[in-house]
Amino acid sequence: MGKKVTIRDIAKRANVSVTTVSQVLNGKGNRFSKSTCDKVFKLRDEMQYVPDFHARSLIMQGSVSTIGVLIPDLSEPFFGTFVEGVQKVAREQNVIPLVFSANRDPKLEKEYLQQMVSRAIDGLIIASARMTTDTIKQALGNLDIPFILFDRNNAQEGTRVQTDDFHGGQIAAQHLIDLGHKKMVYLSVDKDTENFQHRLSGFEKVLKDNGINFDESTDVLYSELSREGGEAAAKDVVASGATAVFCGNDDMAIGLLKGLRELDVRVPEDISVIGYDDISLDEYVYPRLTTVHQPIYDLGVGATEILLDRLNDKDVDEKVEKFPVHLVERESTARPAK
Amino acid sequence: MGKKVTIRDIAKRANVSVTTVSQVLNGKGNRFSKSTCDKVFKLRDEMQYVPDFHARSLIMQGSVSTIGVLIPDLSEPFFGTFVEGVQKVAREQNVIPLVFSANRDPKLEKEYLQQMVSRAIDGLIIASARMTTDTIKQALGNLDIPFILFDRNNAQEGTRVQTDDFHGGQIAAQHLIDLGHKKMVYLSVDKDTENFQHRLSGFEKVLKDNGINFDESTDVLYSELSREGGEAAAKDVVASGATAVFCGNDDMAIGLLKGLRELDVRVPEDISVIGYDDISLDEYVYPRLTTVHQPIYDLGVGATEILLDRLNDKDVDEKVEKFPVHLVERESTARPAK
DNA sequence: GTGAAAGCGCTAACAC
DNA sequence: GTGTTAGCGCTTTCAC
């Protein structure tokens, strides 16, 4: 017991050659007699044969079947949802996704990347702020494994899926202006990650266009990109004197909600809060969070579809696919108090 | 470009044999001259050689290095956190975790299981209510791949990690009783999943011991095990006339909080709510959720440690490791109104 | 209809 | 110090 059943074992028991077994089991058994086929199939079930993936893929290097997914942190629902999108497409197209969460550790990211390469993955989806296209290409060696970049990535090249962050920033600003706010701040993360920068640009542009003062040196607040970070920023937000704050993402916004509550600042009566992402939690915090919706699940779906397309036709050009964002108005924003 | 670099290519360029390259690269090169070693290392870097995992593991079937993790849904932070725990230990012990999220689809679960087997994983961690030990053993064929069961599992056998659900139920009941509640209901999922049943038993026992009426046919409310499910149950909860409700898990509790708010029922003034799990969100909902803490991350750590122990010494007995639970008192519970 | 043999990339005895 | 050789489990060409 416990010994792995091989195609040889089956062959022996069936009194046929390994070739026969292999062919029959792979549906290429037209040329064999029905009785032989039946015998082999029966034996496979009986002996619970499972083909050895390693041996198999050692030979059939070509057959698309595994993609790697590298993300920062699985305990964040944001990435979990993204991965679910990936898995959906993978499932449909019969490819196996290998998911690694690298905990934002560059060393680990590289290690996992190598792992995936050595496991002969056919393509990659990478979500990591830290990794540059160069780092990735280097880790990939001179193999030309196609990869798709996602979110928080400074990359200027490479195929990738994105949402329109600039427009997202605009949407947030317009909403706040429509409500009548005159003094707003942007709460973001202290890294010049491209997409947060874009959001700021869009936000700032609309403010300026509407003749509202916005000074990056004082009206952008920085904190950690997490609920804890948002919570910690509460007193800075209050100190800023703003009547509305645009948060870099929903996690920060949700943290901020808590922080403000503890300072006895009412949302949205005293301060309006608008987030970014539209994670499922937004519906369940109090007050329900107004936010800019990003189609996270769809991004997972889209990234995977693009990747799989490229795998099937290697010569598809590098491209950037942008997904639309939109406002989801809930209860954390309102007209400022007079 | 694009062609995979093999150990042979290196050997050729270095004018040595494949053995030499293999040995040197695997740190077993004491017996080779320094110059040879240097040459090989240099070439490896230059040519960006990455060993082929498949070829390698085809031979070294024994060397522990990959474990499979099968969970229901990655977008649930509960499981995400669990997996992070797994990854931590895996990282430390240099094993690679393959994570699959099967979306609660039994067919998919089986498929992924087979995938993992064919990828020659050395051990498994399975979190799935649906899978019985038999199903698993069957999917595993006659291989004796060690596996650890986790959460929501009806299994009566097999090594597994658990928390003390019975005690958790007792804790919840005691807390509510201490606050002075006399009429309580249990909101759970309509599946007789063992651990929810245990929680109920513990809850009920303490109530009865305190001379409080509890009738399973009327005082147990059922709904979906999700935030949506909790929300939907709000009116039933109100209709029950209870002053406190014990929820099967935090997701339900958080949904319930929202549902009650929409019904203009105040928590905890009108109704107290206590959850189960202690997911990180609890701090951020309003009111902050009182709950029974399960060490989710630690469970991931524990499960992995046990698995790895078994892998290193196959003869460890099947065992059940229980992790302690405790009350986390926040703001969603209070004395009932007079 | 069926099987023998080669070989995927690698490691590990065992020679020399 | 270094190379030869066999073989992991599988697929595939080609011969019978």
Side-chain angles (χ1 to χ4, degrees), chain A residues 76 186-190 221-237 245 247-260 262-263, chain B residues 284:
Chain A
E76 272 184 42
Y186 177 50
L187 175 59
S188 181
V189 64
D190 184 20
L221 272 26
Y222 294 101
S223 189
E224 288 280 308
L225 189 67
S226 64
R227 293 195 283 255
E228 290 77 9
E231 187 176 352
K235 56 181 187 321
D236 289 347
V237 167
V245 39
C247 295
N249 77 358
D250 283 347
D251 271 324
M252 286 186 109
I254 289 172
L256 178 61
L257 251 30
K258 183 188 177 204
L260 290 175
E262 278 161 7
L263 294 172
Chain B
Y284 296 90

Side-chain angles (χ1 to χ4, degrees), chain B residues 104-283:
Chain B
R104 309 178 187 290
D105 174 350
K107 211 173 119 248
L108 205 60
E109 283 176 343
K110 191 160 179 210
E111 201 180 307
Y112 280 149
L113 253 192
Q114 301 232 355
Q115 264 298 328
M116 299 200 242
V117 172
S118 83
R119 274 161 201 260
I121 45 140
D122 305 291
L124 266 173
I125 295 175
I126 299 172
S128 161
R130 306 283 190 295
M131 292 205 120
T132 64
T133 314
D134 279 346
T135 322
I136 296 169
K137 287 203 167 144
Q138 205 205 315
L140 257 36
N142 58 353
L143 278 358
D144 61 324
I145 295 177
F147 60 93
I148 308 281
L149 269 17
F150 162 66
D151 193 58
R152 306 186 186 176
N153 206 301
N154 290 314
Q156 301 294 342
E157 53 166 343
T159 297
R160 55 201 190 278
V161 292
Q162 302 185 324
T163 53
D164 193 340
D165 288 300
F166 185 83
H167 187 220
Q170 291 180 303
I171 289 174
Q174 194 60 55
H175 172 62
L176 263 19
I177 288 173
D178 288 348
L179 287 171
H181 290 276
K182 303 266 187 268
K183 166 73 178 170
M184 291 157 262
V185 292
Y186 176 51
L187 175 59
S188 180
V189 65
D190 186 19
K191 302 244 165 44
D192 50 354
T193 312
E194 210 188 31
N195 51 356
F196 287 91
Q197 206 54 43
H198 285 330
R199 289 172 201 176
L200 172 58
S201 305
F203 188 72
E204 189 167 358
K205 173 156 194 313
V206 172
L207 260 45
K208 295 251 162 90
D209 287 353
N210 282 268
I212 293 178
N213 237 24
F214 189 88
D215 179 353
E216 281 202 24
S217 66
T218 58
D219 297 334
V220 181
L221 273 25
Y222 294 101
S223 189
E224 288 281 306
L225 190 65
S226 64
R227 292 195 284 255
E228 290 78 9
E231 187 175 352
K235 56 181 185 322
D236 289 348
V237 167
V238 172
S240 76
T243 59
V245 37
F246 173 37
C247 294
N249 77 358
D250 282 348
D251 271 323
M252 286 186 108
I254 288 173
L256 178 61
L257 250 31
K258 183 187 177 204
L260 290 175
R261 193 157 51 228
E262 278 162 6
L263 261 30
D264 279 324
V265 174
R266 293 165 307 164
V267 176
E269 292 83 353
D270 300 329
I271 293 185
S272 284
V273 174
I274 178 168
Y276 206 102
D277 278 353
D278 196 21
I279 58 181
S280 64
L281 262 68
D282 294 350
E283 281 283 352

Side-chain angles (χ1 to χ4, degrees), chain A residues 27-269:
Chain A
K28 295 173 184 166
N30 325 316
R31 55 200 189 100
F32 296 98
S33 74
K34 179 132 190 334
S35 77
T36 307
C37 292
D38 288 350
K39 202 161 47 175
V40 170
F41 282 129
K42 189 151 155 282
L43 243 20
R44 177 199 51 185
D45 294 340
E46 239 175 73
M47 305 174 70
Q48 314 223 55
Y49 167 77
V50 178
D52 183 310
F53 176 80
H54 299 305
R56 181 175 239 164
S57 60
L58 189 52
I59 305 179
M60 312 189 301
Q61 301 266 5
S63 65
V64 172
S65 74
T66 312
I67 59 173
V69 184
L70 187 62
I71 56 169
D73 186 353
L74 268 181
S75 63
E76 272 184 42
F78 181 85
F79 291 109
T81 304
F82 176 77
V83 172
E84 289 290 332
V86 173
Q87 296 215 356
K88 182 203 161 227
V89 179
R91 213 147 51 224
E92 287 168 1
Q93 308 215 17
N94 249 315
V95 334
I96 302 294
L98 257 32
V99 180
F100 292 94
S101 149
N103 253 53
R104 309 176 188 289
D105 174 351
K107 211 172 119 247
L108 205 60
E109 282 177 343
K110 190 158 180 212
E111 200 180 306
Y112 280 149
L113 253 192
Q114 300 233 356
Q115 264 298 327
M116 298 200 242
V117 172
S118 82
R119 274 162 200 261
I121 45 138
D122 305 291
L124 266 174
I125 295 175
I126 299 172
S128 160
R130 307 282 190 292
M131 293 206 120
T132 66
T133 314
D134 280 347
T135 322
I136 295 170
K137 287 204 167 143
Q138 204 205 316
L140 257 35
N142 58 354
L143 279 357
D144 61 326
I145 296 178
F147 59 94
I148 308 281
L149 269 17
F150 162 66
D151 193 58
R152 307 187 184 176
N153 206 302
N154 289 314
Q156 299 295 342
E157 53 167 343
T159 297
R160 54 202 191 279
V161 292
Q162 302 185 324
T163 53
D164 194 340
D165 288 300
F166 185 83
H167 187 220
Q170 291 181 304
I171 289 174
Q174 195 59 57
H175 173 62
L176 262 20
I177 288 173
D178 289 348
L179 287 172
H181 290 275
K182 302 265 187 267
K183 166 73 178 170
M184 290 157 264
V185 292
Y186 177 50
L187 175 59
S188 181
V189 64
D190 184 20
K191 302 245 167 41
D192 50 355
T193 312
E194 208 187 31
N195 53 355
F196 286 93
Q197 206 54 43
H198 285 331
R199 289 172 201 176
L200 172 57
S201 305
F203 188 71
E204 189 167 359
K205 173 155 195 311
V206 172
L207 259 45
K208 295 251 161 90
D209 287 353
N210 281 269
I212 293 178
N213 238 23
F214 189 87
D215 180 351
E216 281 202 26
S217 66
T218 56
D219 296 334
V220 180
L221 272 26
Y222 294 101
S223 189
E224 288 280 308
L225 189 67
S226 64
R227 293 195 283 255
E228 290 77 9
E231 187 176 352
K235 56 181 187 321
D236 289 347
V237 167
V238 172
S240 77
T243 59
V245 39
F246 174 36
C247 295
N249 77 358
D250 283 347
D251 271 324
M252 286 186 109
I254 289 172
L256 178 61
L257 251 30
K258 183 188 177 204
L260 290 175
R261 192 158 50 228
E262 278 161 7
L263 294 172
D264 279 324
V265 174
R266 292 165 308 163
V267 176
E269 292 83 352

